[in-house]
Structures are given as structure tokens and as C-alpha cells.
Amino acid sequence: RQRQMCIRDRIEIIHPNLLYMRNMITGIISILCYLQCFGTLSASVTAKNENENFVLKNKNVELVFANGKEFLFKEFRMDGMNILPVNGSTTHPWQLIYRGPNGENPTLMPRWGEYKGGEIQKTQDASTLIFTWQMVIDAGPTCPVRILVTLGKDAELPEWRIEAEMPEGWVITESEFPRITVNRPEGAKGILPVGFGTEYTIGNEGQLQSRYPSCTGTMQLVLMHHKGGTVYFAAQDKGGSGKVFRMKSEGKSLVFIQNVTTSYAWTQNKKFSIPWETVMGFTKKGWQDAAVQWYRPFTFETLWGAKTISERPIAEWIKNADIWLRPGEVNAETMEAVRKAMKYYGKGVGLHWYYWHNHRFDTKYPEYFPEKAGFKEMIKETQELGGFITPYINGRLWDPATDSYKTLNGKDASCRKADGTLYTEVYSSKVLNTVTCPSSYIWRDVLKGANKQILTELKTNGVYMDQIGCANSEPCYATNHGHAPGGGDWWPFAYRSLLTEMRTNLYKENQAMTTEENAECYIDLFDMMLVVNSPHNSYTKMVPLFPLIYSDRCIYSGYTYIPWRITDGSLNFMSMRSLLWGSQLGWVEPSLLMRPDAKREAKFLKNLTDFRRQQHDLFLGGRFIQEIIPTGDNPTQEIPNYEITPVVLAAEWASVSGEHVYLIVNMSEQEHKVTLPNKKQITVKALDAIRISK
């Protein structure tokens, strides 16, 4: 206003008689000042009906939809490129499965309804395009299905939502939305959040699939990348509901699909909606940039990703456990190997102990006691040597052949499918195991009892609860578990309340909870997560997707399952990659590691362990930035069942204080002089690692 008055005064002085010009200019200035107050000059979003098209556009994104008798997503422009095929995304954008009061179970998609076109809805900060189909459900009025595409004035990604109305007594049980077809350039590859992250070749047919939350879907995103850029597809679900992401090949096109088994609670007052937005974007940069630019900021707003490692109440010994051993038995030979390994690697080693109970593995869960004879004594001796022990139990399965299943009425704790049958899984033990529901108070009491008995009677340093961070959450239709039937976020929230209760009432300071794998929605509940299920072979490649997002907020150990033969280069490769990606090292059976023919592997692991102990400013709250392949004298080596790799690898990290450094590891038995991205030439000794400031 002050600026406006100054201009007005100057006009009056120069041309006192030109009142018309003065009033016109003053009016324009007033409009500009008004717009500036609301920030619409610096950023704006438009939604308009342009002849045959609906256009949704801001400075980052432009979406074009047909305005005609048929729905068609015609263009999706970002970073100067239209990522849709020439004819647009012609796949049906949604598919819903209904359930009626009489058991009706239709699968409906747009072609079974009448398309009513689109409309524009605007607010001060965003514009939304709404597309509607009228569906015939019963003899009453038709019921609309709507998809809503919203773009904020400053948004980098458009948001997709779906809602449906239906008659009384009906619910939606499955949703397939959104479904968006993009162009698939030659050589495109898919990145899935499997384990640490996995890159797959995409063919002309078939599909890639990631189920969340589990080891095959640790995060809620998938990516397709090629030399021209990266397509990003993700759910912004802060609850962690179960869902499946698919990338389906159709020749030179790729269909991105989100499948959800819904919760009946998502249908309220005859209206269904999914309680999160799904987003898609494109950047000409690499897949790492897309993940960090778009997914990492989303995680800061979640319960599991809001706090860094330094802000979380993590057991101190876990923070300092730079190496893990995995004793496999309770016998004299195992204990002798533990003694040798503890003497060699020093105090502070974590031990993840298997086969301590009197039953075959994956049988008789949750009946772990009485423990094998001598186990208490082994625990005490190992702790006196400076070790910390977390024995194995399963946090999800119940063997229906056990006495406890009968006496405690285990069937009432088991997850039930929609038809009333139980989810039943079979592993290498060939024994049936039922999947328990974490909201069942029967199972909650069982798991609390097992933890209490281990901590108090065996006096361990914590408990390893298998499958919680790894195995699928399952839709449950039991009527006695206190949650709405179907899927939804009740599963991770049930574990959240259970583990929080155990942490408060059972666990003492410096006692740790650990679990298998790294499903993100459990990160803040466990002191450490073991990551070993990443696939690896000649046609898949492990990539550091998880460290890119969560290296500063999660302590994790492992790389993949340790092969029985560790002297063929595989263990040294795994140790090198583990260090560079921020993982705690080892997870090796001491009986294998202490064999005479494994001296080279044991020495390399010790060198890296000693090195890692000096890098806690990186691994306890610092950030993994990128993996680097140094140039120069850097020969390659074929690692059986993994890949052909340079013998010297490196990574860039940012420390807690913000310092950027390179970690460089040489897994060969000869020193090598290599060149880093900053043009520095360094010599790395054989079987060693160094740190260089960037």
C-alpha cells in the first residue's frame, strides 16, 4: 500500500488533470497488490476446459485429459517431457470389487458404468479435476465412482484419489487404483523396494510386483528409470496400510498399478474412499534423485520416520555393535567358535542366537521353553567375554499342532480370510504354521509372555522377533479381534501398541528389540533391523534404495544370507557393501568364520569392523548420499551368485555435523591406486578401508 500511494502521488504531480489515467493505473496496482498478498504471482495452478481438453497445470506439471464422451488421460508433462504413450494412457483408470448384503461380489470397472465427464473444482491453493462414472449396483438409483486429480499451486506431484457411493449394506473390498500407462523406452529398468532395493530388467510382457509392508515392499514406492530419466509412483500413506504396487509390461508401454485390499471401515455412510493420496512424477535425473527428492520428505511426516537415530531411545550396545555373529547351535563346538571369535573381534559384538529351543526350526512356535541344556551358561560366558545376545523367536506364527494352540484357543488368535479359513504357511520344516493377528489379545499375551521369560530367565540383552518387519500383513476378517474387517493400517498399529507396551513394561534400559527385515512402518519400534532377504543373481541387482531414504533414522545389519562357502569372494564382497551402505557387519556363523581356510575373510571383516568403530559420526545419524565406483587401477572380480564388481568400491556420506566424506574399501589382496569423483588419487591397502574428506 505504501508503494501504491507513492506511485499515485507521482501521477497526480505530473498529470493533475489526467484523472482517468490515474484511476486506471491505481486500479491495476491495487489488483497486483491484492494478488501479491495471496502469493499467486510467484506460483499458480490452473484448471481449465480448453475446447476438447481439460488441462491441469502449474510451473512443474501439466496434465491433459480429454473432454469428451470417453475418459482419456492424454498427456503428462514434467521436466519438458510427456511420459505417456502417443495415444495417451488408454488403460482403465480404476477397478473396484464390491460386496453386497447377500454376498454379491461384482468386479466393476469404467466400462460397466456410464461416463458423465469431468468438472473443475478450485480452491485458493489447488485445483482438482473430478471425473465421474455412474454405476448400476442394484435396482435403486445409480451410484457414482469418482476419481479426483489435484494439483497444488506449488506442488511437484499431482495427487490421485478415488471415492465411490453405494447402496446401504454394500462395501468395497478391493481397489485397483490408480492405473496409469506410461511410455517404456528401450532399456528401461524397474527399481523395487525389495530388501535394500532391487533393480530388475523390464521385458515386453510380464510384471514386477512389490507387496507392502514386507521384505518385498519395505517402502511405498516403485520406479522405472532409463537413460532419459525416471518415473516415480508412490503412496503417501502415513498409516502403513497393506498394498501392492505393480508395473505391468504391455509391449512398449508400462502400466503402474496400486492394488489395495480395503478395510470395511473405509466405507462410511454409503461412501467409500482410500485414506491417502497416490502420486506420480517424472524427472530427467536418476532414480536416486527421484527417491530423495520426493519420497524422503514424505517420510519425515510419518510416525516411523520423524526421528533420527540420535533422537530415538536405542540401546547403547546396539549403537556400538559394529559386527554380529550368528551362532547356530547350543553345543561345545559352537561355544568354542564363539570364544575364538570374541577374542579375535573384541568386546561389543552382537550375537543373534538360533536353535536354542528344544524343537526343530519353524516348529512348535511359540513353545520355546525349556531351553536346551547349557544355553544359560553359554549366554553368561559370552556376556562376560563382552558379547550381547538376542535369541531368536517368531513374532507372527503359531503352530496349530502345539498344546498351547489348543489350551489357549489359538484359533481365535489366528488371522482369518474372508471365507473364514486361516492363513496357513509352510516353510522348510514342512510344518503348518498359522498367521496370528497382532490385534488379538490372546496372541499379544503369548508374545509378551515369551519376551518376559527370555529376558528374565535367560537374562539376555534383548530378543530377536522374526517376521514382524519381513512377512506380509494380512487382511483379517475375524469378528473378535477389535478391528474392522479387511485390510488397512490396523495391522502395523496393532504391532505398534504391542511393542510399545512391551518396551515400557518388560524391557529395561539397554535391552534391545530386533527383527527380520526393514519394512519402514516398524523402524522406530526396533533398535535394529536385520536386512538379508534382498534377491541377487545374474539378472537382478541390489541397489541402496533403503540407505538413501533411512540411513539416518534406522540401524540395520546384514546384507544377504551368508552362503555356506564363504571363501569364494562372496563374504568379502558382502562385507565391503555392508560397510559402504551403512550396515552393521558380519552376521556370520562363528564356526565358519574361525575355520583355518577362512583367515583372509576373518581378517578383512576385522579390519572393516575396526574401521567402522571409528565412523559413528556417519553411521549413527549421518546420511548415505551415493555409491561410487572409483576409476584407475580397479580390476573386476566375479562374485558367485552376485555380480561382476570392481574390487574397490566407495560411497559418499554426510556426517552428523554435515561434513561430506568418501569411504573407500578394497576387498582384494593387492593395494590399488584409484581416482575419486573429486579427482583425488588415493592408494587403498589390501583388505582395508579409508576415509577421505570430500
Side-chain angles (χ1 to χ4, degrees):
R1 290 179 180 176
Q2 190 175 25
R3 186 185 311 117
Q4 180 180 336
M5 288 298 296
C6 291
I7 295 173
R8 180 187 297 121
D9 292 343
R10 290 180 62 193
I11 292 173
E12 289 180 335
I13 292 171
I14 297 172
H15 298 288
N17 296 322
L18 299 180
L19 297 177
Y20 176 80
M21 181 180 292
R22 184 198 70 181
N23 293 339
M24 181 179 68
I25 295 176
T26 301
I28 293 172
I29 293 171
S30 298
I31 293 171
L32 292 175
C33 291
Y34 175 82
L35 292 174
Q36 192 174 36
C37 290
F38 286 95
T40 54
L41 290 182
S42 59
S44 63
V45 58
T46 59
K48 54 187 177 180
N49 186 344
E50 291 186 342
N51 298 324
E52 298 180 354
N53 295 324
F54 288 107
V55 179
L56 191 61
K57 181 179 181 180
N58 67 8
K59 63 182 180 180
N60 302 310
V61 187
E62 181 178 3
L63 307 179
V64 180
F65 298 86
N67 180 13
K69 295 182 179 180
E70 301 291 336
F71 174 85
L72 176 62
F73 185 14
K74 298 177 72 172
E75 296 183 14
F76 188 143
R77 293 189 178 276
M78 286 187 71
D79 215 355
M81 183 177 292
N82 174 29
I83 64 173
L84 302 190
V86 174
N87 296 325
S89 178
T90 56
T91 186
H92 55 283
W94 58 267
Q95 179 174 301
L96 300 173
I97 300 180
Y98 292 69
R99 182 181 177 89
N102 301 314
E104 302 96 328
N105 192 34
T107 298
L108 299 183
M109 57 187 71
R111 69 172 178 264
W112 304 126
E114 181 183 1
Y115 180 57
K116 306 301 288 185
E119 60 181 297
I120 300 170
Q121 185 179 83
K122 294 184 179 182
T123 66
Q124 180 177 308
D125 296 321
S127 292
T128 300
L129 294 178
I130 305 172
F131 303 96
T132 303
W133 290 260
Q134 290 291 350
M135 312 302 295
V136 177
I137 305 299
D138 59 12
T142 57
C143 298
V145 173
R146 304 181 186 93
I147 63 174
L148 301 89
V149 187
T150 299
L151 186 63
K153 66 181 182 182
D154 296 313
E156 296 185 18
L157 303 172
E159 299 175 343
W160 297 72
R161 291 174 291 147
I162 189 169
E163 59 184 39
E165 296 179 21
M166 62 204 71
E168 186 71 39
W170 287 74
V171 296
I172 302 290
T173 62
E174 300 278 344
S175 167
E176 200 169 279
F177 172 84
R179 297 173 48 93
I180 302 173
T181 303
V182 303
N183 183 45
R184 181 180 66 82
E186 193 70 28
K189 295 187 176 182
I191 302 287
L192 301 185
V194 181
F196 276 111
T198 308
E199 179 185 77
Y200 297 87
T201 298
I202 301 176
N204 291 327
E205 57 183 22
Q207 68 179 9
L208 300 176
Q209 180 171 300
S210 176
R211 183 173 178 180
Y212 177 90
S214 74
C215 67
T216 68
T218 63
M219 295 176 283
Q220 303 174 76
L221 79 161
V222 292
L223 307 109
M224 177 191 73
H225 75 106
H226 49 87
K227 63 182 180 180
T230 302
V231 177
Y232 170 89
F233 186 70
Q236 296 188 324
D237 174 16
K238 299 176 185 178
S241 297
K243 56 184 68 70
V244 175
F245 295 99
R246 292 192 288 139
M247 292 188 285
K248 182 181 179 183
S249 289
E250 294 183 351
K252 294 183 178 181
S253 298
L254 191 71
V255 186
F256 284 82
I257 305 168
Q258 177 185 229
N259 289 89
V260 181
T261 299
T262 70
S263 168
Y264 286 15
W266 297 349
T267 301
Q268 296 287 336
N269 299 319
K270 299 189 290 184
K271 185 175 181 179
F272 162 83
S273 63
I274 293 178
W276 65 83
E277 294 80 27
T278 306
V279 295
M280 175 177 271
F282 172 80
T283 175
K284 287 184 177 178
K285 299 178 181 178
W287 66 264
Q288 299 97 323
D289 298 275
V292 172
Q293 178 181 350
W294 291 321
Y295 197 77
R296 184 171 157 82
F298 155 72
T299 67
F300 298 151
E301 302 175 3
T302 65
L303 286 173
W304 60 79
K307 294 182 179 180
T308 64
I309 291 172
S310 60
E311 295 170 328
R312 292 176 47 203
I314 298 172
E316 283 299 315
W317 74 264
I318 286 283
K319 293 180 181 180
N320 297 316
D322 294 286
I323 182 173
W324 285 79
L325 299 174
R326 191 192 68 199
E329 292 291 347
V330 176
N331 54 39
E333 293 77 15
T334 298
M335 191 61 216
E336 180 58 28
V338 168
R339 292 188 192 102
K340 289 180 180 178
M342 291 299 302
K343 182 178 180 180
Y344 189 63
Y345 290 101
K347 294 183 178 181
V349 176
L351 293 98
H352 178 192
W353 213 303
Y354 280 77
Y355 309 126
W356 60 272
H357 37 91
N358 277 295
H359 304 292
R360 289 187 300 118
F361 191 64
D362 284 342
T363 70
K364 300 295 184 181
Y365 295 153
E367 297 179 3
Y368 304 103
F369 286 88
E371 75 283 359
K372 288 182 179 178
F375 186 47
K376 283 184 181 179
E377 292 73 19
M378 290 183 181
I379 292 172
K380 183 178 180 181
E381 181 181 352
T382 304
Q383 290 170 334
E384 290 172 350
L385 291 170
F388 296 85
I389 297 174
T390 58
Y392 174 99
I393 65 170
N394 194 294
R396 180 174 170 273
L397 301 179
W398 198 338
D399 184 342
T402 56
D403 292 337
S404 60
Y405 195 84
K406 299 177 179 66
T407 59
L408 297 177
N409 199 24
K411 63 181 177 61
D412 279 354
S414 297
C415 281
R416 292 194 177 269
K417 301 177 184 179
D419 63 3
T421 59
L422 304 185
Y423 293 94
T424 308
E425 299 177 352
V426 181
Y427 297 89
S428 59
S429 65
K430 302 179 178 60
V431 168
L432 305 184
N433 283 284
T434 59
V435 177
T436 55
C437 180
S439 68
S440 163
Y441 281 94
I442 297 173
W443 178 246
R444 293 166 75 92
D445 287 343
V446 167
L447 198 57
K448 285 187 288 187
N451 275 261
K452 181 178 181 180
Q453 194 170 7
I454 290 169
L455 293 170
T456 57
E457 294 186 16
L458 300 182
K459 295 182 172 53
T460 64
N461 304 100
V463 180
Y464 174 91
M465 287 173 272
D466 194 10
Q467 290 206 328
I468 295 178
C470 174
N472 304 322
S473 63
E474 298 289 5
C476 180
Y477 299 86
T479 59
N480 62 330
H481 291 175
H483 60 76
D489 60 12
W490 61 265
W491 179 288
F493 274 100
Y495 268 123
R496 178 169 293 275
S497 65
L498 173 57
L499 296 172
T500 301
E501 181 185 349
M502 290 199 300
R503 178 84 69 178
T504 301
N505 298 332
L506 299 180
Y507 280 69
K508 298 177 181 178
E509 186 177 0
N510 216 29
Q511 289 181 326
M513 294 182 185
T514 65
T515 191
E516 178 190 20
E517 295 307 316
N518 53 324
E520 65 179 357
C521 56
Y522 306 113
I523 280 176
D524 64 314
L525 302 175
F526 289 100
D527 298 78
M528 186 275 287
M529 307 180 94
L530 173 67
V531 189
V532 291
N533 275 295
S534 300
H536 51 89
N537 49 49
S538 60
Y539 53 89
T540 59
K541 177 184 177 182
M542 290 176 60
V543 295
L545 176 59
F546 186 80
L548 275 170
I549 306 300
Y550 285 116
S551 55
D552 58 344
R553 284 164 291 161
C554 179
I555 294 179
Y556 44 93
S557 70
Y559 182 73
T560 58
Y561 283 102
I562 306 293
W564 290 111
R565 184 182 180 186
I566 64 174
T567 58
D568 59 359
S570 57
L571 180 59
N572 282 357
F573 172 70
M574 295 167 66
S575 299
M576 174 172 65
R577 268 281 180 78
S578 293
L579 178 81
L580 294 174
W581 289 6
S583 187
Q584 293 178 333
L585 308 173
W587 200 65
V588 190
E589 284 203 39
S591 57
L592 288 177
L593 194 59
M594 293 293 102
R595 285 169 46 175
D597 63 342
K599 285 184 178 180
R600 178 188 61 178
E601 287 69 25
K603 175 63 176 175
F604 185 46
L605 186 54
K606 178 172 172 53
N607 290 346
L608 295 192
T609 299
D610 292 342
F611 176 79
R612 195 184 193 282
R613 285 170 175 156
Q614 306 303 314
Q615 314 304 324
H616 285 186
D617 65 322
L618 305 179
F619 301 131
L620 297 180
R623 255 190 78 202
F624 174 87
I625 304 299
Q626 62 176 328
E627 189 172 44
I628 295 163
I629 300 177
T631 58
D633 176 22
N634 195 4
T636 59
Q637 179 180 346
E638 183 175 359
I639 307 301
N641 301 312
Y642 286 88
E643 59 191 75
I644 297 175
T645 178
V647 297
V648 180
L649 291 179
E652 180 184 348
W653 279 77
S655 71
V656 174
S657 63
E659 178 192 11
H660 281 245
V661 304
Y662 293 129
L663 300 182
I664 310 98
V665 183
N666 177 11
M667 72 173 184
S668 78
E669 294 184 272
Q670 292 81 37
E671 69 176 32
H672 292 282
K673 187 175 183 179
V674 296
T675 303
L676 299 175
N678 62 2
K679 307 305 180 183
K680 285 186 179 180
Q681 290 187 327
I682 57 160
T683 299
V684 193
K685 295 179 180 179
L687 302 176
D688 209 352
I690 59 174
R691 169 175 172 164
I692 300 291
S693 294
K694 185 180 177 183

